[in-house]
Amino acid sequence: QVQLVESGGGLVQAGGSLRLSCAASGRTFSSYTMGWFRQAPGKEREFVAAIRWSDGITYYTDSVKGRFTISRDSAKNTVDLQMNSLKPEDTARYYCAARRTLQSILVTTTTSYGYWGQGTQVTVSS
């Protein structure tokens, strides 16, 4: 049973940084793609970033390119999202997700991910 547990959310001022972490268990994740999504109140859940565990290939949505960095630590089985230069519009609940790497990393739909964490809240004040 895959389990994903997020941590690291909080309140930060605009321009600040936060680092989210996702602890993954229940599988060997070398054949998985890990993603971060976010959902703001009243909005649909949207893709933020993904990393292919086997080779570290990454992909980002345009709005976070150059500000966010996704990484994985195979020894700890964690996937981190370093968020810099945060903006109020980054405010959302952030979710870690996992899927088997059967499709391109460019596939970013929520339905393509079969495993989800409970999320962690990120609030960016102006």
Side-chain angles (χ1 to χ4, degrees):
Q1 182 75 8
V2 173
Q3 286 193 320
L4 304 172
V5 180
E6 304 94 335
S7 61
L11 173 64
V12 64
Q13 288 189 330
S17 297
L18 279 176
R19 188 176 184 90
L20 306 183
S21 187
C22 172
S25 62
R27 287 283 192 279
T28 300
F29 289 93
S30 56
S31 61
Y32 279 71
T33 293
M34 308 297 290
W36 282 97
F37 288 74
R38 65 187 179 186
Q39 188 167 19
K43 294 189 176 181
E44 293 187 353
R45 193 170 297 188
E46 64 173 0
F47 170 80
V48 175
I51 186 166
R52 197 161 61 196
W53 200 290
S54 59
D55 56 13
I57 296 294
T58 59
Y59 182 63
Y60 300 90
T61 193
D62 286 347
S63 62
V64 307
K65 284 180 181 176
R67 299 190 299 124
F68 291 12
T69 303
I70 187 171
S71 61
R72 89 292 192 224
D73 186 325
S74 296
K76 297 180 181 178
N77 253 21
T78 56
V79 178
D80 289 355
L81 185 68
Q82 178 66 42
M83 306 186 295
N84 299 327
S85 303
L86 282 161
K87 305 175 181 181
E89 51 264 44
D90 294 317
T91 295
R93 190 164 186 85
Y94 282 71
Y95 296 88
C96 178
R99 63 173 172 88
R100 293 290 301 274
T101 303
L102 301 175
Q103 298 168 297
S104 165
I105 196 170
L106 302 181
V107 175
T108 60
T109 58
T110 55
T111 54
S112 65
Y113 284 80
Y115 305 98
W116 293 86
Q118 293 300 306
T120 185
Q121 179 67 34
V122 172
T123 303
V124 184
S125 63
S126 57

